[in-house]
């Protein structure tokens, strides 16, 4: 059995404003766990409570109720061990421009009280593909390199769990791919990854399991595959030759949409029909199919379905 490296039990956070006496429930009785070795995605629209959750883990926000256990340590009883088990990569790039990656990592190791002989600075630089830049000024690094250096900084104390908070916000596609390759590499080495992201396609590609938060509530928690299975509708587009727009198409269980004399759309409930039945029906009506494209939907559809108000 895979062990749980993070367990969240009945976690609630209420922000109260002492002046207005107003209360805001940012997290409402959350329960979930993260398993060792997985890439776990925490998704949700703005205001869902993602930052609040990460801040509780990071120790900058105090929870109202509930329990959190990280790597076998209880957050209330052993906050230092909890912190030592986590590497948190912040959203904002906050690097001192005048230090080199090597110096930054050495400084960070010093902050964690890691003795010189136990430091693995070179190895970490290699893991994030920055060994060539070890002695360059941080300010001379590209955006993607800076992001990777942030990951390196969070890995200095060799935490078993790495948390990435919107790691690719504002990062272009190529750098994003490069960053993910590095994260996947770390994951292969055994590091459990927890990430928040707005890029649903990215979550779909990267995560083994995904939790979707909405207004402080957990509205879904499942493997990425099973979340995608929740999309019930399959859409098809047929490219056809000179369709007579006066023809009426009607078939049980399927909805046709005539888009133009060359394009016919169709949608039906997955597994309710056999694809060949539709083709046969179109053939019977003398419709000449030239091309077909299908759309199974993606995480965006699940997300919208679950978080629409
Ligand atoms: P997300 O990161 O998913 O966008 P947040 O954790 O930032 O969500 O916010 C969750 C809710 O908590 C929101 O309603 C937000 O307004 C509220 N909130 C966040 N921080 C504070 C704070 N310091 N004081 C009061 N309310 C807050």
């Amino acid at each position: 059995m895979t062990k749980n490296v993070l367990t969240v039990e009945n976690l609630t956070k209420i922000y109260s404003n002492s002046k207005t006496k107003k209360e805001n429930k940012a997290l409402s009785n959350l329960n979930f766990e993260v398993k060792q070795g997985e890439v776990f995605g925490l998704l949700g629209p703005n205001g869902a409570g993602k930052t609040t959750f990460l801040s509780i883990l990071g120790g900058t926000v105090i929870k109202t109720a509930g329990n959190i256990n990280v790597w076998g340590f209880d957050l209330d009883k052993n906050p230092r061990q909890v912190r030592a088990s986590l590497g948190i990569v912040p959203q904002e790039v906050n690097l001192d421009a005048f230090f080199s990656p090597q110096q930054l990592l050495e400084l960070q190791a010093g902050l964690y009280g890691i003795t010189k002989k136990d430091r693995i600075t070179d190895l970490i630089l290699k893991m994030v593909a920055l060994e060539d830049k070890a002695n360059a000024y941080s300010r001379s690094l590209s955006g993607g390199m800076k992001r990777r250096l942030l990951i390196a900084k969070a890995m200095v104390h060799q935490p078993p769990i790495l948390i990435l908070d919107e790691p690719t916000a504002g990062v272009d596609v190529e750098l994003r791919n490069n960053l993910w390759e590095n994260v996947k590499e770390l994951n292969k080495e055994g590091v459990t990854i927890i990430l928040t992201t707005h890029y649903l396609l990215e979550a779909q590609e990267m995560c083994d399991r995904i939790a979707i938060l909405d207004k402080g509530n957990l509205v879904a928690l499942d493997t990425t595959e099973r979340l995608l299975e929740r999309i019930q509708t399959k859409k098809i587009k047929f490219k056809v030759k000179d369709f007579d727009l006066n023809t009426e198409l009607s078939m049980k269980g399927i909805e046709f949409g005539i888009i133009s004399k060359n394009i016919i759309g169709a949608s039906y409930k997955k597994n309710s029909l056999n694809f060949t039945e539709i083709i046969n029906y179109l053939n019977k009506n003398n419709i000449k199919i030239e091309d077909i494209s299908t759309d199974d939907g993606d995480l965006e559809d699940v997300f919208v379905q679950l978080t629409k108000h």
Side-chain angles (χ1 to χ4, degrees), residues 15-16 24-27 44-53 61 213:
Y15 290 105
S16 13
N24 186 354
K25 205 181 226 186
L27 296 175
N46 279 335
K50 303 178 300 289
T51 310
T52 299
F53 175 66
V61 166
L213 279 184

Side-chain angles (χ1 to χ4, degrees), residues 93 95 130 133 137-148 175:
V93 177
L95 297 163
L130 280 178
K133 296 282 172 188
Y137 276 138
S138 291
R139 65 167 178 212
S140 71
L141 303 181
S142 71
M145 289 174 183
K146 282 182 186 150
R147 292 267 171 190
R148 296 204 312 262
L175 292 180

Side-chain angles (χ1 to χ4, degrees), residues 246-257:
N246 293 317
T247 314
E248 245 186 59
L249 295 176
S250 153
M251 188 179 168
K252 197 166 179 272
I254 185 160
E255 214 172 285
F256 286 107

